[in-house]
Amino acid sequence: MFQKDLLQAKRILITGGGTGLGKAAAQRFLELGAEVYLCGRRQDVLAATEQELHERTGGSRDHKKIHTLPCDVRDAAAVEELIGAIWAEGPLDVLMNNAAGNFLSRTEDLSLGAFQSVIGIVLLGTLHTTMACGRRWLAESRGGVVLNITTTYTTTGSAYVVPSAVAKAGVHALTRSLAVEWGNRGIRMNAIAPGPIPTEGAFSRLLPRPELAEAAKKRIPLGRFGTTEEFANLAAFLVSDGSGYINGDVVTMDGGEWLQGAGEFTALGRELTEEEWQRMRPKKSAPKA
Ligand code: HXC
Ligand code: NAP
């Protein structure tokens, strides 16, 4: 799909890069020539991912292209230390804010700590990394690219995932605001809003019963979930120089799910029988003699 050197020499940090969509993006970026930095809270997960990606992409250990650094993005000081350590080896070109926390709950059952946990990871975590990188890019008068991973419910909201919905909506606003404020200094800021893509992290928390997967697919016009490869390809395009004029946009990749949910007549239309559809067609007038 892409030229093999599309991301040659790009230095990219992926938060939450040890699992799921972040890991898939890391693999694609490596295949396209990038050097990746992956952070997350769990050192053992990061170490296993580094080994796996090394084997899959055949990277040479002489020039290490995969770096894993534990960091809790909720902690502003820890993020500043992380970004400082990366910058000591050279500036980043791309920041992908992918780390997230989420779970299903009735909102009235949530403690303040539950809100703080998810908003801390998703909104403040994104803010911490974006400020740490953005300030450096601006001070050095160099460009940079930020890719934020949101959800399709940033604009609609969603019941039962309210901490995530409010935090992702904040990330959406941050994306659009800084695309304008920093765009004139060479910093591009975009987002991907994925629909459901099977990952252990998301599906173990958001699909309480496996049989609900089939019902979930019925909500998607394309009739299937997205794949990590499709996500990684879109991410590669958006962080590459090939998409250099895209700034402040949110690209939805959900098989049409949210539009199907929003359409006034979609559900009604599926209920109608063949006979009812035929009855609603205009009556053919008799042919003129
Ligand atoms: C209600 C909960 C809860 C639950 C935790 N809490 N789980 N409340 N229902 N299921 C509360 C706790 O009681 C606590 O509040 C607070 O949240 C923090 O919980 P901890 O377990 O101490 O936090 P921590 O260990 O830091 O874990 C954070 C986490 C966890 C967010 C709770 O789920 C996590 O580590 N998630 C990371 C990965 C992830 O969520 N991936 C899914 C992304 S999918 P108190 O008040 O007791 O202190 C996604 C979009 C999907 O984002 C869209 C699909 C289409
Ligand atoms: P995932 O595998 O659970 O990924 C979340 C990652 O974030 C994990 O690697 C986790 O690692 C890391 N993380 C969590 N809290 C952190 C913290 N405080 N500091 C640093 N890292 C932290 O889930 P995923 O499905 O790949 O999700 C990736 C992104 O896609 C998220 O932004 C999610 O909201 C978005 N998304 C996913 C879907 C989907 O269907 N999969 C749909 C829409 C949007 P540690 O636990 O080791 O810290």
Side-chain angles (χ1 to χ4, degrees):
M1 182 165 176
F2 298 116
Q3 290 174 2
K4 274 285 178 201
D5 62 351
L6 185 75
L7 300 176
Q8 196 66 41
K10 296 276 187 213
R11 292 161 50 76
I12 303 178
L13 168 62
I14 306 174
T15 67
T19 63
L21 302 187
K23 179 162 93 172
Q27 179 174 332
R28 198 75 184 102
F29 296 170
L30 284 162
E31 288 163 353
L32 295 168
E35 180 168 356
V36 298
Y37 288 83
L38 311 179
C39 83
R41 292 166 300 176
R42 293 168 296 167
Q43 170 67 52
D44 55 331
V45 170
L46 291 172
T49 296
E50 180 173 340
Q51 180 62 28
E52 191 183 327
L53 290 177
H54 182 76
E55 281 160 17
R56 283 200 197 165
T57 59
S60 158
R61 288 224 185 263
D62 300 339
H63 178 62
K64 200 164 173 292
K65 294 186 94 179
I66 310 170
H67 311 262
T68 52
L69 302 160
C71 178
D72 187 330
V73 295
R74 287 175 285 196
D75 181 343
V79 168
E80 186 53 37
E81 201 178 310
L82 167 79
I83 303 298
I86 295 173
W87 238 266
E89 295 174 1
L92 284 170
D93 299 290
V94 176
L95 164 65
M96 179 167 153
N97 285 309
N98 166 82
N102 203 354
F103 44 73
L104 278 179
S105 175
R106 292 179 301 194
T107 307
E108 62 270 31
D109 295 340
L110 290 172
S111 65
L112 179 60
F115 276 101
Q116 285 170 333
S117 176
V118 173
I119 294 171
I121 301 168
V122 175
L123 180 54
L124 290 180
T126 299
L127 195 67
H128 294 151
T129 51
T130 303
M131 292 307 293
C133 292
R135 284 194 172 118
R136 284 170 172 81
W137 285 326
L138 294 173
E140 294 163 13
S141 300
R142 59 179 298 131
V145 175
V146 179
L147 180 62
N148 294 327
I149 311 306
T150 62
T151 59
T152 51
Y153 52 71
T154 50
T155 46
T156 59
S158 176
Y160 309 116
V161 285
V162 168
S164 171
V166 299
K168 293 283 191 184
V171 173
H172 182 110
L174 185 75
T175 306
R176 295 225 143 119
S177 305
L178 291 183
V180 173
E181 189 173 332
W182 289 352
N184 64 353
R185 285 165 285 171
I187 299 174
R188 287 199 299 126
M189 182 99 44
N190 292 299
I192 296 176
I197 301 173
T199 65
E200 167 65 23
F203 276 46
S204 66
R205 291 178 174 88
L206 300 169
L207 213 59
R209 279 188 268 124
E211 64 269 27
L212 294 177
E214 286 314 307
K217 282 184 200 161
K218 292 205 176 84
R219 295 167 12 93
I220 304 169
L222 295 187
R224 66 171 177 87
F225 294 133
T227 68
T228 54
E229 291 79 12
E230 287 166 330
F231 171 83
N233 280 331
L234 177 58
F237 170 66
L238 287 172
V239 303
S240 76
D241 295 338
S243 67
Y245 203 53
I246 301 179
N247 185 33
D249 209 2
V250 179
V251 181
T252 301
M253 56 158 291
D254 70 345
E257 182 192 36
W258 88 265
L259 287 170
Q260 172 159 315
E264 177 79 39
F265 292 100
T266 307
L268 171 68
R270 298 231 161 96
E271 290 294 316
L272 296 180
T273 63
E274 178 61 26
E275 193 200 341
E276 285 169 315
W277 282 116
Q278 292 300 341
R279 211 186 314 133
M280 287 186 293
R281 295 180 72 182
K283 305 279 173 293
K284 281 204 183 92
S285 48
K288 290 199 175 96

